[in-house]
Amino acid sequence: MTQDIKRILYATDLSENSVHAFGYAINLANKFDAEITILHVIDRMMDISVNMVGVYVNEKEFEGNFQKGITHITEEINNRL
């Protein structure tokens, strides 16, 4: 007995190869009328790395750039969809 797939978790590193995996996820979702959840993890830098960058960029500027990066990645994912 096979079970229907209702949810698919698509984890991506946003690489070119991940596009192929997304195609498989779409095909499965269409076949089973399933919902796809997209996961992309953005890891914060370790404290020592932040301190090293802090020599060149102040903390507010660094945090602003980090938030811009998150916004850019979010927009890229939405554009791909």
Short mmCIF file of all heavy atoms in Angstrom, two decimals, residues 2 9 12 14 21 28 36 42-43 45 47-48 51 56 58 61 63 68-70 72 76 78:
data_model
loop_
_atom_site.label_atom_id
_atom_site.label_comp_id
_atom_site.label_asym_id
_atom_site.label_seq_id
_atom_site.Cartn_x
_atom_site.Cartn_y
_atom_site.Cartn_z
N THR A 2 0.65 2.16 -0.91
CA THR A 2 1.42 3.39 -0.97
C THR A 2 0.61 4.53 -0.37
O THR A 2 -0.61 4.57 -0.46
CB THR A 2 1.81 3.75 -2.42
OG1 THR A 2 0.62 3.94 -3.16
CG2 THR A 2 2.66 2.68 -3.04
N LEU A 9 9.26 19.00 1.41
CA LEU A 9 10.21 19.98 1.90
C LEU A 9 11.35 20.05 0.89
O LEU A 9 12.06 19.08 0.66
CB LEU A 9 10.77 19.58 3.27
CG LEU A 9 11.87 20.47 3.83
CD1 LEU A 9 11.38 21.90 4.01
CD2 LEU A 9 12.40 19.91 5.14
N THR A 12 17.24 24.12 -0.27
CA THR A 12 18.06 24.57 -1.38
C THR A 12 19.24 25.41 -0.91
O THR A 12 19.14 26.13 0.09
CB THR A 12 17.23 25.38 -2.40
OG1 THR A 12 18.10 25.80 -3.46
CG2 THR A 12 16.56 26.57 -1.78
N LEU A 14 20.48 27.33 -3.33
CA LEU A 14 20.31 28.30 -4.41
C LEU A 14 21.35 28.15 -5.52
O LEU A 14 21.56 29.06 -6.31
CB LEU A 14 20.31 29.74 -3.88
CG LEU A 14 19.24 30.06 -2.84
CD1 LEU A 14 19.41 31.48 -2.33
CD2 LEU A 14 17.86 29.84 -3.40
N ALA A 21 16.67 19.86 -8.74
CA ALA A 21 15.94 19.26 -7.62
C ALA A 21 14.57 19.93 -7.46
O ALA A 21 13.58 19.27 -7.13
CB ALA A 21 16.75 19.39 -6.32
N LEU A 28 6.59 16.15 -8.39
CA LEU A 28 5.95 15.38 -7.34
C LEU A 28 4.73 16.11 -6.79
O LEU A 28 3.68 15.50 -6.54
CB LEU A 28 6.93 15.10 -6.19
CG LEU A 28 7.89 13.95 -6.39
CD1 LEU A 28 8.91 13.91 -5.25
CD2 LEU A 28 7.13 12.63 -6.46
N ILE A 36 4.44 22.46 -1.36
CA ILE A 36 5.91 22.54 -1.26
C ILE A 36 6.28 23.63 -0.28
O ILE A 36 5.79 24.76 -0.37
CB ILE A 36 6.56 22.85 -2.62
CG1 ILE A 36 6.27 21.76 -3.63
CG2 ILE A 36 8.07 23.03 -2.46
CD1 ILE A 36 6.82 22.05 -5.01
N ILE A 42 20.29 30.64 6.23
CA ILE A 42 21.35 31.64 6.22
C ILE A 42 21.97 31.61 7.60
O ILE A 42 21.32 31.97 8.59
CB ILE A 42 20.79 33.04 5.90
CG1 ILE A 42 20.11 33.03 4.54
CG2 ILE A 42 21.91 34.08 5.96
CD1 ILE A 42 19.38 34.30 4.22
N ASP A 43 23.20 31.17 7.67
CA ASP A 43 23.88 31.02 8.95
C ASP A 43 24.55 32.33 9.34
O ASP A 43 25.19 32.97 8.50
CB ASP A 43 24.92 29.91 8.83
CG ASP A 43 25.39 29.40 10.18
OD1 ASP A 43 24.78 29.75 11.20
OD2 ASP A 43 26.37 28.63 10.19
N MET A 45 27.37 34.64 11.04
CA MET A 45 28.81 34.47 11.18
C MET A 45 29.16 34.22 12.64
O MET A 45 28.50 34.70 13.55
CB MET A 45 29.54 35.73 10.69
CG MET A 45 29.47 35.92 9.19
SD MET A 45 30.18 37.49 8.62
CE MET A 45 31.81 37.47 9.26
N ASP A 47 31.22 34.69 16.08
CA ASP A 47 31.63 35.94 16.74
C ASP A 47 33.04 36.37 16.33
O ASP A 47 33.29 37.55 16.11
CB ASP A 47 31.56 35.79 18.26
CG ASP A 47 30.13 35.77 18.76
OD1 ASP A 47 29.23 36.22 18.02
OD2 ASP A 47 29.91 35.29 19.89
N ILE A 48 33.95 35.42 16.21
CA ILE A 48 35.32 35.79 15.84
C ILE A 48 35.37 36.39 14.44
O ILE A 48 36.10 37.34 14.18
CB ILE A 48 36.29 34.59 15.97
CG1 ILE A 48 37.73 35.08 15.85
CG2 ILE A 48 35.98 33.51 14.96
CD1 ILE A 48 38.76 34.06 16.32
N ASN A 51 34.03 39.90 14.63
CA ASN A 51 35.05 40.79 15.19
C ASN A 51 36.10 41.16 14.15
O ASN A 51 36.56 42.30 14.10
CB ASN A 51 35.72 40.14 16.40
CG ASN A 51 34.79 40.08 17.59
OD1 ASN A 51 33.83 40.82 17.68
ND2 ASN A 51 35.07 39.17 18.51
N TYR A 56 36.94 46.59 9.85
CA TYR A 56 36.75 47.33 8.60
C TYR A 56 35.38 47.97 8.46
O TYR A 56 35.21 48.94 7.74
CB TYR A 56 36.99 46.40 7.41
CG TYR A 56 38.34 45.75 7.45
CD1 TYR A 56 38.50 44.44 7.88
CD2 TYR A 56 39.48 46.46 7.08
CE1 TYR A 56 39.75 43.85 7.92
CE2 TYR A 56 40.73 45.89 7.14
CZ TYR A 56 40.86 44.57 7.56
OH TYR A 56 42.10 44.00 7.62
N ASN A 58 31.66 49.03 10.64
CA ASN A 58 31.04 49.11 11.97
C ASN A 58 29.84 48.17 12.05
O ASN A 58 29.30 47.71 11.05
CB ASN A 58 30.67 50.56 12.32
CG ASN A 58 29.51 51.10 11.51
OD1 ASN A 58 28.53 50.41 11.28
ND2 ASN A 58 29.61 52.34 11.09
N GLU A 61 26.56 49.04 10.12
CA GLU A 61 26.72 48.85 8.68
C GLU A 61 26.72 47.37 8.33
O GLU A 61 26.09 46.93 7.37
CB GLU A 61 28.01 49.51 8.20
CG GLU A 61 28.19 49.47 6.70
CD GLU A 61 29.46 50.18 6.25
OE1 GLU A 61 30.14 50.79 7.08
OE2 GLU A 61 29.75 50.10 5.05
N GLU A 63 25.29 44.90 10.07
CA GLU A 63 23.93 44.37 10.24
C GLU A 63 23.03 44.80 9.08
O GLU A 63 22.23 44.02 8.58
CB GLU A 63 23.34 44.84 11.57
CG GLU A 63 22.00 44.22 11.90
CD GLU A 63 22.04 42.71 12.05
OE1 GLU A 63 23.06 42.16 12.48
OE2 GLU A 63 21.02 42.08 11.71
N LYS A 68 20.24 43.33 4.03
CA LYS A 68 20.11 43.49 2.58
C LYS A 68 20.34 42.16 1.88
O LYS A 68 19.66 41.84 0.90
CB LYS A 68 21.11 44.52 2.07
CG LYS A 68 20.75 45.94 2.38
CD LYS A 68 21.81 46.90 1.85
CE LYS A 68 21.55 48.31 2.31
NZ LYS A 68 22.64 49.22 1.92
N GLY A 69 21.28 41.38 2.39
CA GLY A 69 21.55 40.06 1.81
C GLY A 69 20.36 39.13 1.95
O GLY A 69 19.99 38.42 1.02
N ILE A 70 19.73 39.16 3.12
CA ILE A 70 18.53 38.34 3.33
C ILE A 70 17.42 38.77 2.38
O ILE A 70 16.75 37.94 1.77
CB ILE A 70 18.07 38.43 4.80
CG1 ILE A 70 19.10 37.72 5.71
CG2 ILE A 70 16.68 37.83 4.99
CD1 ILE A 70 18.83 37.88 7.18
N HIS A 72 17.77 40.24 -0.51
CA HIS A 72 18.17 39.84 -1.87
C HIS A 72 17.88 38.36 -2.10
O HIS A 72 17.33 37.98 -3.15
CB HIS A 72 19.65 40.13 -2.09
CG HIS A 72 20.18 39.60 -3.39
ND1 HIS A 72 19.88 40.19 -4.60
CD2 HIS A 72 20.95 38.52 -3.66
CE1 HIS A 72 20.46 39.49 -5.57
NE2 HIS A 72 21.12 38.48 -5.02
N GLU A 76 15.30 36.69 -4.74
CA GLU A 76 15.77 35.71 -5.73
C GLU A 76 14.90 34.46 -5.71
O GLU A 76 14.53 33.94 -6.77
CB GLU A 76 17.23 35.35 -5.46
CG GLU A 76 17.81 34.42 -6.50
CD GLU A 76 19.29 34.13 -6.28
OE1 GLU A 76 19.97 34.92 -5.61
OE2 GLU A 76 19.73 33.08 -6.77
N ASN A 78 11.76 34.27 -4.69
CA ASN A 78 10.44 34.63 -5.23
C ASN A 78 10.49 34.77 -6.76
O ASN A 78 9.56 34.35 -7.44
CB ASN A 78 9.95 35.92 -4.60
CG ASN A 78 9.48 35.71 -3.19
OD1 ASN A 78 8.99 34.66 -2.84
ND2 ASN A 78 9.64 36.73 -2.35
#
